[in-house]
Coordinates of all heavy atoms in Angstrom, one line a residue:
L1 N -142.7 92.7 38.0 CA -141.5 92.7 38.7 C -141.8 93.0 40.2 O -142.7 93.7 40.6 CB -140.6 93.9 38.2 CG -140.2 93.9 36.7 CD1 -139.5 95.2 36.3 CD2 -139.3 92.7 36.5
L2 N -140.9 92.4 41.1 CA -141.0 92.6 42.5 C -139.6 93.1 43.0 O -138.6 92.7 42.5 CB -141.3 91.2 43.1 CG -142.7 90.6 42.9 CD1 -142.7 89.2 43.6 CD2 -143.7 91.4 43.5
A3 N -139.7 93.8 44.1 CA -138.5 94.3 44.8 C -138.8 94.1 46.3 O -139.8 94.6 46.7 CB -138.1 95.7 44.5
P4 N -138.1 93.4 47.0 CA -136.9 92.5 46.6 C -137.5 91.4 45.7 O -138.7 91.0 45.8 CB -136.4 91.9 47.8 CG -136.8 92.8 48.9 CD -138.1 93.4 48.5
P5 N -136.7 90.9 44.8 CA -137.2 89.8 43.8 C -137.8 88.6 44.5 O -137.3 88.3 45.6 CB -136.0 89.5 43.0 CG -135.0 90.6 43.2 CD -135.4 91.1 44.6
A6 N -138.6 87.9 43.8 CA -139.1 86.6 44.3 C -137.9 85.7 44.5 O -136.9 85.8 43.7 CB -140.1 86.0 43.3
G7 N -137.9 84.9 45.6 CA -136.7 84.1 45.8 C -135.8 84.7 46.9 O -135.0 84.0 47.5
Q8 N -136.0 86.0 47.1 CA -135.3 86.7 48.1 C -136.3 87.1 49.2 O -137.4 87.3 48.9 CB -134.6 87.9 47.6 CG -133.4 87.7 46.6 CD -132.7 88.9 46.2 OE1 -132.9 90.0 46.8 NE2 -131.9 88.9 45.2
P9 N -135.8 87.2 50.4 CA -136.7 87.6 51.5 C -137.3 89.0 51.3 O -136.5 89.9 50.8 CB -136.0 87.5 52.8 CG -134.5 87.4 52.3 CD -134.5 87.0 51.0
P10 N -138.5 89.3 51.7 CA -139.0 90.7 51.7 C -138.2 91.6 52.7 O -137.5 91.1 53.5 CB -140.4 90.6 52.0 CG -140.5 89.4 52.9 CD -139.4 88.4 52.3
L11 N -138.5 92.8 52.6 CA -138.0 93.8 53.6 C -138.7 93.3 54.9 O -140.0 93.4 54.9 CB -138.4 95.2 53.2 CG -138.0 96.3 54.2 CD1 -136.5 96.4 54.4 CD2 -138.5 97.6 53.6
E12 N -138.0 93.0 55.9 CA -138.6 92.4 57.2 C -138.6 93.5 58.3 O -137.6 94.1 58.5 CB -137.8 91.3 57.7 CG -137.7 90.1 56.8 CD -138.9 89.2 56.9 OE1 -139.7 89.3 57.8 OE2 -139.1 88.3 56.0
L13 N -139.7 93.7 58.8 CA -139.9 94.7 59.9 C -140.7 94.0 61.0 O -141.8 93.5 60.8 CB -140.6 96.0 59.4 CG -139.9 96.7 58.2 CD1 -140.9 97.7 57.6 CD2 -138.7 97.4 58.8
S14 N -140.2 94.1 62.2 CA -140.9 93.6 63.4 C -142.1 94.6 63.7 O -142.0 95.8 63.6 CB -140.1 93.3 64.5 OG -139.7 94.6 65.2
F15 N -143.1 94.0 64.3 CA -144.2 94.8 64.8 C -143.7 95.9 65.8 O -144.0 97.0 65.7 CB -145.3 93.9 65.5 CG -146.3 94.7 66.2 CD1 -147.1 95.7 65.7 CD2 -146.5 94.3 67.6 CE1 -148.0 96.4 66.5 CE2 -147.5 95.0 68.4 CZ -148.2 96.1 67.8
G16 N -142.9 95.5 66.8 CA -142.4 96.4 67.8 C -141.6 97.5 67.2 O -141.7 98.6 67.6
E17 N -140.8 97.2 66.2 CA -139.9 98.2 65.6 C -140.8 99.2 64.8 O -140.5 100.4 65.0 CB -139.0 97.5 64.5 CG -138.2 98.4 63.7 CD -137.5 97.7 62.5 OE1 -137.7 96.4 62.3 OE2 -136.6 98.3 61.9
V18 N -141.8 98.8 64.1 CA -142.6 99.7 63.4 C -143.5 100.5 64.4 O -143.6 101.8 64.2 CB -143.5 99.0 62.4 CG1 -144.4 100.0 61.6 CG2 -142.6 98.2 61.4
A19 N -144.1 99.9 65.3 CA -145.0 100.5 66.3 C -144.2 101.7 67.1 O -144.7 102.8 67.2 CB -145.5 99.6 67.3
A20 N -142.9 101.4 67.5 CA -142.1 102.3 68.2 C -141.6 103.4 67.2 O -141.5 104.6 67.5 CB -141.0 101.7 68.9
G21 N -141.1 102.9 66.0 CA -140.4 103.8 65.1 C -141.3 104.8 64.3 O -140.8 105.8 63.9
R22 N -142.6 104.5 64.2 CA -143.4 105.4 63.4 C -143.6 106.7 64.1 O -144.1 107.7 63.5 CB -144.8 104.8 63.1 CG -145.7 104.6 64.2 CD -147.0 103.9 63.8 NE -148.0 103.8 64.8 CZ -149.2 103.9 64.5 NH1 -149.7 104.0 63.3 NH2 -150.1 103.9 65.5
G23 N -143.2 106.8 65.4 CA -143.2 108.1 66.1 C -141.9 108.8 66.0 O -141.8 109.9 66.6
S24 N -140.9 108.3 65.3 CA -139.6 108.9 65.2 C -139.3 109.4 63.8 O -139.3 108.6 62.8 CB -138.6 107.9 65.6 OG -137.3 108.3 65.2
L25 N -139.1 110.7 63.7 CA -138.8 111.3 62.4 C -137.5 110.6 61.7 O -137.6 110.3 60.5 CB -138.6 112.8 62.4 CG -138.4 113.5 61.2 CD1 -139.6 113.3 60.3 CD2 -138.3 115.0 61.4
G26 N -136.5 110.3 62.5 CA -135.3 109.7 62.0 C -135.6 108.3 61.5 O -135.1 107.9 60.4
W27 N -136.4 107.5 62.2 CA -136.7 106.2 61.8 C -137.5 106.2 60.5 O -137.2 105.5 59.6 CB -137.4 105.4 62.9 CG -137.6 104.0 62.6 CD1 -136.8 102.9 62.8 CD2 -138.8 103.4 61.9 NE1 -137.4 101.8 62.4 CE2 -138.6 102.0 61.8 CE3 -140.0 104.0 61.5 CZ2 -139.5 101.2 61.2 CZ3 -140.9 103.2 60.8 CH2 -140.7 101.7 60.8
C28 N -138.5 107.1 60.5 CA -139.4 107.2 59.3 C -138.5 107.7 58.1 O -138.7 107.1 57.0 CB -140.5 108.2 59.5 SG -141.8 107.6 60.6
S29 N -137.6 108.6 58.3 CA -136.8 109.0 57.2 C -135.9 107.9 56.6 O -135.8 107.7 55.4 CB -135.9 110.2 57.7 OG -135.1 110.7 56.6
A30 N -135.4 107.1 57.5 CA -134.5 106.0 57.1 C -135.3 104.9 56.3 O -134.9 104.4 55.3 CB -133.8 105.3 58.3
L31 N -136.5 104.6 56.8 CA -137.4 103.7 56.1 C -137.9 104.2 54.7 O -137.8 103.5 53.8 CB -138.7 103.3 57.0 CG -139.6 102.3 56.3 CD1 -138.9 101.0 56.0 CD2 -140.8 102.1 57.2
A32 N -138.1 105.5 54.7 CA -138.5 106.1 53.4 C -137.4 106.0 52.4 O -137.7 105.7 51.2 CB -138.9 107.6 53.7
A33 N -136.2 106.2 52.9 CA -135.1 106.1 51.9 C -134.9 104.7 51.4 O -134.6 104.5 50.3 CB -133.8 106.5 52.7
R34 N -135.1 103.7 52.3 CA -135.0 102.2 51.9 C -136.1 102.0 50.8 O -135.8 101.3 49.8 CB -135.2 101.3 53.1 CG -133.9 101.3 54.0 CD -134.3 100.6 55.3 NE -134.3 99.1 55.0 CZ -134.6 98.3 56.0 NH1 -134.9 98.7 57.2 NH2 -134.6 97.0 55.7
V35 N -137.3 102.4 51.1 CA -138.4 102.1 50.2 C -138.2 102.8 48.9 O -138.4 102.2 47.8 CB -139.8 102.6 50.9 CG1 -140.9 102.6 49.8 CG2 -140.1 101.7 52.0
R36 N -137.8 104.1 48.9 CA -137.6 104.8 47.7 C -136.5 104.2 46.8 O -136.5 104.2 45.6 CB -137.3 106.3 48.0 CG -138.6 106.9 48.5 CD -138.4 108.4 48.7 NE -138.4 109.1 47.4 CZ -138.5 110.4 47.3 NH1 -138.7 111.2 48.4 NH2 -138.5 111.0 46.1
A37 N -135.4 103.7 47.5 CA -134.3 103.0 46.7 C -134.8 101.7 46.1 O -134.5 101.5 44.9 CB -133.2 102.7 47.7
L38 N -135.7 101.0 46.8 CA -136.3 99.8 46.2 C -137.2 100.2 45.0 O -137.1 99.5 43.9 CB -137.2 99.0 47.2 CG -136.5 98.2 48.2 CD1 -137.5 97.6 49.2 CD2 -135.8 97.0 47.5
A39 N -137.9 101.2 45.1 CA -138.8 101.7 44.0 C -137.9 102.2 42.8 O -138.3 101.9 41.7 CB -139.7 102.8 44.5

């Protein structure tokens, strides 16, 4: 099984978004929530 399923686009993140966001607790918390929901 895959999430998102095959045939649907993956969770898309730009390099700039991740590079800047990984220093932000709020951004990391939001991404963690998205990943945990997928799991």
Side-chain angles (χ1 to χ4, degrees):
L1 299 174
L2 293 173
Q8 292 184 14
L11 178 60
E12 298 277 348
L13 301 165
S14 74
F15 165 57
E17 173 188 11
V18 178
R22 71 184 190 145
S24 163
L25 187 57
W27 185 88
C28 288
S29 180
L31 180 58
R34 291 171 72 186
V35 168
R36 291 183 76 167
L38 280 174

